[in-house]
């Protein structure tokens, strides 16, 4: 049995207090929300914080308000996000992504803020301490070399959040609370370019709120590829959204790929290609052929990376067909 390492638990009452405790303890402290990712990682000794700052009791960080825009408290659970009627009706890609994370038990505890901040993953890293010691560790924890790309000076662990690509596709913004003050940043700016420092926020900053703009008139979807339909991290996620005019003319479009790089990857060239075109079969195939190109899967997750790259093209096409109201070609 894997046991948690010893730690002191500090239940913060406000985001500022949480940030202050984190700042005071530096690298010895971490925040925990639902704990569905952090606790298993601690059991494997990927993290051994001496102090855990519990966020569950934070004032005013768990509500959901859907007016024109959508405001999510970072502590709202994924079950709440997936089941909220207004989200299902008006931001359905987000509801679907949340509903596909892990298992129902996880989703009842896991938070939307934790999902956006979830650690990057790699076959050589998401292993027990014993396993990692036997191969001499790797750069992400306790070692010097990247075992996937030994010549690389950076870590390529994979961004594995299901909701992050959707948040990028829908132009969400997050509020970060630090010791000195608060700031609001686009979700796109939250992610870095390295699997170790995968978030750009300061370590003590607490994500308290996520805001999504009104997407009335947009159609959207999220598609997820994984080995087991019942419970598995994505090996590919595709978030797509489009505002269509008369005759399915694309007025605006967003496509973001998940689980193919250290951060969610916007397929900007495909978005540009789609604008002003009719979303028919031919356009969709051409757009998918452009959209999958920035996907950079490596041999560090489940299933073959060459197949995952090919599937990115197929899943983008399926997502766009869903949006156009055409048959997706999914097996029944
Ligand atoms: C078996 C299994 C399957 C899983 N499958 C999936 C999956 O399919 N898709 C997927 O996306 N995830 C999956 N996960 C990972 C995890 O369950 C989810 O990502 C979940 O949403 C994490 O939320 P949490 O509240 O539990 O985060 P925690 O575990 O509490 O925290 C995760 C990280 O985020 C930080 N953090 C949390 N909240 C905040 C905040 N408000 N401000 C600043 N930092 C914060 C923590 O310090 C920690 O580094 C799986 C996990 C397991 C164990
Ligand atoms: S990508 Fe390389 S450095 Fe990063 S976790 Fe995997 S093996 Fe380690």
């Amino acid at each position: 049995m894997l046991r948690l390492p010893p730690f002191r638990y500090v239940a913060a009452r406000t985001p500022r207090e949480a940030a202050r405790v984190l700042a005071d303890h530096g690298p010895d402290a971490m925040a925990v929300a639902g704990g569905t990712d952090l606790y298993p990682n601690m059991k494997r000794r990927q993290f051994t914080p001496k102090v855990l700052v519990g966020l569950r009791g934070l004032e005013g960080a768990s509500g959901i308000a859907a007016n024109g825009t959508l405001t999510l408290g970072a502590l709202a659970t994924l079950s709440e996000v997936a089941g909220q009627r207004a989200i299902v009706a008006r931001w359905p890609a987000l509801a679907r992504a949340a509903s596909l994370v892990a298992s129902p038990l996880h989703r009842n505890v896991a938070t939307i803020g934790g999902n956006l901040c979830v650690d990057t993953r790699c076959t050589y890293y998401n292993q027990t301490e014993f396993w990692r010691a036997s191969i001499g560790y790797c750069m992400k924890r306790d070692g010097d070399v990247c075992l996937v790309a030994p010549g690389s000076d950076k870590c390529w662990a994979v961004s594995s959040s299901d909701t992050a690509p959707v948040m990028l596709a829908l132009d969400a913004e997050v509020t970060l609370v630090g010791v000195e003050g608060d700031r609001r940043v686009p979700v796109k700016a939250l992610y870095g370019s390295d699997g170790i420092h995968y978030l750009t926020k300061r370590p003590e900053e607490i994500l308290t709120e996520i805001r999504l703009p009104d997407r009335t008139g947009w159609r959207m979807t999220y598609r997820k590829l994984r080995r087991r339909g019942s419970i598995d991290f994505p090996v590919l996620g595709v978030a797509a959204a489009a505002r269509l005019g008369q005759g399915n003319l694309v007025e605006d479009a967003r496509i973001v790929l998940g689980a193919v790089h250290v951060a969610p990857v916007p397929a900007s060239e495909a978005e540009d290609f789609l604008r002003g075109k009719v979303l028919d079969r031919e356009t969709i195939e051409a757009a998918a052929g452009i959209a999958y190109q920035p996907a950079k899967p490596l041999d560090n997750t489940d299933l073959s990376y060459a197949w995952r790259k090919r599937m990115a093209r197929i899943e983008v096409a399926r997502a766009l067909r869903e949006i156009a109201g055409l048959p997706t070609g999914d097996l029944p």
Side-chain angles (χ1 to χ4, degrees), residues 31 33-38 102 111 115 117-118 160-162 207 224 232-233:
T36 60
D37 202 63
L38 185 59
T111 65
N115 195 246
C117 295
V118 74
S160 302
S161 161
D162 277 302
L207 196 162
K224 172 173 180 171
D232 248 331
F233 280 90

Side-chain angles (χ1 to χ4, degrees), residues 73-155:
L75 293 173
T77 66
L78 294 176
S79 294
E80 288 165 345
V81 173
Q84 242 262 358
R85 261 195 224 167
I87 302 179
V88 174
R90 290 163 50 204
W91 294 272
L94 176 60
R96 189 192 278 185
S99 78
L100 294 174
V101 172
S103 70
L105 292 179
H106 289 96
R107 293 193 294 273
N108 286 344
V109 183
T111 65
I112 187 72
N115 195 246
L116 291 184
C117 295
V118 74
D119 195 13
T120 52
R121 295 180 61 80
C122 171
T123 315
Y124 295 93
Y125 169 72
N126 293 95
Q127 303 288 352
T128 60
E129 216 280 326
F130 177 78
W131 192 101
R132 288 184 293 115
S134 72
I135 56 161
Y137 301 103
C138 79
M139 200 193 290
K140 188 157 159 71
R141 172 81 207 214
D142 298 324
D144 306 317
V145 179
C146 172
L147 297 169
V148 179
S152 170
D153 60 357
K154 79 174 213 178
C155 163

